[in-house]
Amino acid sequence: MTKIVNSWNDFDPLKHVIVGRADFSVIPPEEPATSEKVPIDSEMRGMWGPRPTATVEAANEQLDNYAKILEGLGIKVDRPTPLQWNQAIVTPDFRTESGFTQMPPRDILLTVGNEIISSANSFRCRYFEYLAYWPLMKEYFDEDPEFLWTQAPRPRLTDKSYKHNYYDEKISLEERLERTAAKDFVTTEFEPMWDAADVMRVGKDLFIQHGLTTNRTAMEWFKRYYPDLRVHAVNFPGDPYPIHIDATFVPLRPGLIINNPHRRLPEEQRKIFEANDWQIVDAAQPAHDTPPPLCYSSVWLSMNCLVIDHKTVCVEASEVHQMEQMDKLGMNVIPVPFRDAYAFGGGLHCATADVYREGGCEDYFP
Ligand code: ABU
């Protein structure tokens, strides 16, 4: 019997991680929360079905290579068990015609200390995604007597969970930005809904992005679930498609965080960092003008890096500006080719979920 699960932040020395797989990934049909995320000019609008085999193979090649690089650093790597997502997702409350993927574990699994919680995603197509990680969770549960295997309250995702007629394809970018600034998102506050990638863990503090995939009721749930932790709602007004904090606000080590310069943290919310001598640095510009084809994410996956320890970071291999900035910030950079995997759910941070990092629950913001 050994301790397998432990992680309180995204920067202490990484020893054990899950890396996603692209098999059987599907572009899901439109449903209440997904339309909002697909940019109006995206070639994916109106399209759905299994992703082309050649793209799945190319993504898996880069994911396998990433896993090998991490293993070469002495990190244990586990992989999910792919499910066939090209089938309807049906519950007593809804039906949608396909699932999604098991590529970005970061959206589904939130590790807080010795606990891994499966999230309460607002996309109906993601309702059963946690099953791809079930064999790993069982293994950790069998081997680690302290591991807490947890499922967040399952949202029902009925029509009550979404604002009707929220999405209108004529909506301008300016209007989207106004909505983000007004914290007016497609989800209602009927029940807690959250993606794990909206939660930034910094020891005793959880900074949670309020946006298209996580609502305020989720933050209330977190506050009650973790009475010993501090939960902070954060939002980034410059983002027309606010989903997931890890291409927006990324800690590199205690006291240092990079912030997307188009999605700056508001003054009021910066205070807690400044009062505790944390430096917030604008992230470098992405090397690319557009994301790869059939990709949900923005070009800011450039800053979606995986910190290995306080001095080492994995950055996507073509992101020359981000690599140069990391170097100047005193980090040793490990370049990892990953653009072929972006379309399957994100970058190097999205593609992983922490199992074990050294260190405990520090109070960085006393
Ligand atoms: N899953 C991270 C996506 C963030 C972005 O599109 O900028």
Side-chain angles (χ1 to χ4, degrees), residues 37 243-244 246-247 263 297-298 300-301 345 350:
K37 174 57 192 144
I243 161 170
H244 305 160
D246 56 356
R263 309 172 184 169
S297 304
S298 75
W300 289 99
L301 289 183
C350 307

Side-chain angles (χ1 to χ4, degrees), residues 55-115:
T55 66
V56 174
E57 286 170 359
N60 270 339
E61 206 171 294
Q62 292 199 332
L63 283 155
D64 293 349
N65 180 53
Y66 185 24
K68 277 210 190 86
I69 291 173
L70 294 172
E71 283 168 349
L73 296 169
I75 297 165
K76 180 172 163 53
V77 177
D78 285 335
R79 312 296 299 275
T81 303
L83 272 86
Q84 174 52 264
W85 297 112
N86 187 24
Q87 57 177 315
I89 303 293
V90 185
T91 76
D93 291 310
F94 68 81
R95 174 189 172 99
T96 188
E97 292 313 311
S98 84
F100 193 47
T101 185
Q102 61 285 300
M103 179 343 231
R106 194 68 67 172
D107 297 2
I108 306 298
L109 303 176
L110 179 70
T111 312
V112 180
N114 61 342
E115 178 168 29

Side-chain angles (χ1 to χ4, degrees), residues 10 20 26 71 105 127 177 188-189 207 216 248 253 282 286 304:
D10 269 314
V26 172
E71 283 168 349
Y127 200 78
L177 289 168
T188 64
E189 297 299 337
F207 295 88
R216 302 294 284 221
T248 295
R253 57 176 178 256
D282 276 358
N304 186 264

Side-chain angles (χ1 to χ4, degrees), residues 52-176:
T53 307
T55 66
V56 174
E57 286 170 359
N60 270 339
E61 206 171 294
Q62 292 199 332
L63 283 155
D64 293 349
N65 180 53
Y66 185 24
K68 277 210 190 86
I69 291 173
L70 294 172
E71 283 168 349
L73 296 169
I75 297 165
K76 180 172 163 53
V77 177
D78 285 335
R79 312 296 299 275
T81 303
L83 272 86
Q84 174 52 264
W85 297 112
N86 187 24
Q87 57 177 315
I89 303 293
V90 185
T91 76
D93 291 310
F94 68 81
R95 174 189 172 99
T96 188
E97 292 313 311
S98 84
F100 193 47
T101 185
Q102 61 285 300
M103 179 343 231
R106 194 68 67 172
D107 297 2
I108 306 298
L109 303 176
L110 179 70
T111 312
V112 180
N114 61 342
E115 178 168 29
I116 299 182
I117 312 182
S118 295
S119 53
N121 311 83
S122 62
F123 287 15
R124 290 171 173 170
C125 59
R126 307 195 81 169
Y127 200 78
F128 292 121
E129 210 165 305
Y130 74 96
L131 289 176
Y133 306 101
W134 193 95
L136 291 176
M137 297 305 114
K138 175 171 162 47
E139 193 182 310
Y140 305 159
F141 186 77
D142 289 345
E143 289 175 23
D144 177 352
E146 289 173 19
F147 170 50
L148 298 177
W149 180 5
T150 305
Q151 172 67 61
R154 311 252 42 213
R156 295 189 70 168
L157 305 183
T158 67
D159 288 347
K160 289 185 182 152
S161 294
Y162 310 100
K163 290 180 192 159
H164 299 286
N165 305 318
Y166 178 88
Y167 176 71
D168 171 355
E169 59 184 34
K170 290 190 222 71
I171 184 175
S172 64
L173 192 64
E174 290 68 37
E175 219 171 311
R176 276 180 180 276

Side-chain angles (χ1 to χ4, degrees), residues 149-342:
W149 180 5
T150 305
Q151 172 67 61
R154 311 252 42 213
R156 295 189 70 168
L157 305 183
T158 67
D159 288 347
K160 289 185 182 152
S161 294
Y162 310 100
K163 290 180 192 159
H164 299 286
N165 305 318
Y166 178 88
Y167 176 71
D168 171 355
E169 59 184 34
K170 290 190 222 71
I171 184 175
S172 64
L173 192 64
E174 290 68 37
E175 219 171 311
R176 276 180 180 276
L177 289 168
E178 278 166 26
R179 285 184 182 186
T180 304
K183 298 173 194 155
D184 172 16
F185 301 113
V186 66
T187 45
T188 64
E189 297 299 337
F190 180 67
E191 59 184 343
M193 288 179 281
W194 55 279
D195 277 15
D198 280 318
V199 184
M200 186 180 93
R201 306 160 304 133
V202 196
K204 226 176 150 40
D205 294 82
L206 300 176
F207 295 88
I208 308 184
Q209 172 170 234
H210 180 204
L212 292 170
T213 39
T214 294
N215 63 6
R216 302 294 284 221
T217 311
M219 299 190 200
E220 181 56 30
W221 178 80
F222 272 103
K223 280 183 185 162
R224 293 187 203 180
Y225 189 71
Y226 286 124
D228 295 336
L229 301 183
R230 293 179 292 243
V231 174
H232 312 266
V234 288
N235 65 297
F236 300 92
D239 188 355
Y241 304 98
I243 161 170
H244 305 160
I245 200 166
D246 56 356
T248 295
F249 203 51
V250 176
L252 299 183
R253 57 176 178 256
L256 179 63
I257 196 154
I258 52 173
N259 188 188
N260 186 317
H262 292 196
R263 309 172 184 169
R264 283 214 176 90
L265 188 67
E267 282 309 318
E268 190 54 35
Q269 296 172 25
R270 298 174 90 88
K271 285 184 185 160
I272 184 171
F273 295 93
E274 289 161 357
N276 289 283
D277 297 325
W278 279 61
Q279 200 189 351
I280 303 178
V281 177
D282 276 358
Q285 285 297 313
H288 303 270
D289 294 333
T290 53
L294 302 180
C295 184
Y296 279 106
S297 304
S298 75
V299 290
W300 289 99
L301 289 183
S302 54
M303 59 184 288
N304 186 264
C305 56
L306 182 71
V307 176
I308 303 297
D309 58 41
H310 297 192
K311 285 182 184 296
T312 316
V313 63
C314 291
V315 180
E316 205 286 325
S318 66
E319 293 296 346
V320 285
H321 310 306
Q322 192 54 76
M323 288 196 287
E324 192 185 325
Q325 182 188 42
M326 292 293 189
D327 185 55
K328 286 191 180 136
L329 290 170
M331 304 293 285
N332 298 316
V333 178
I334 300 170
V336 179
F338 208 63
R339 265 181 74 87
D340 289 344
Y342 276 10

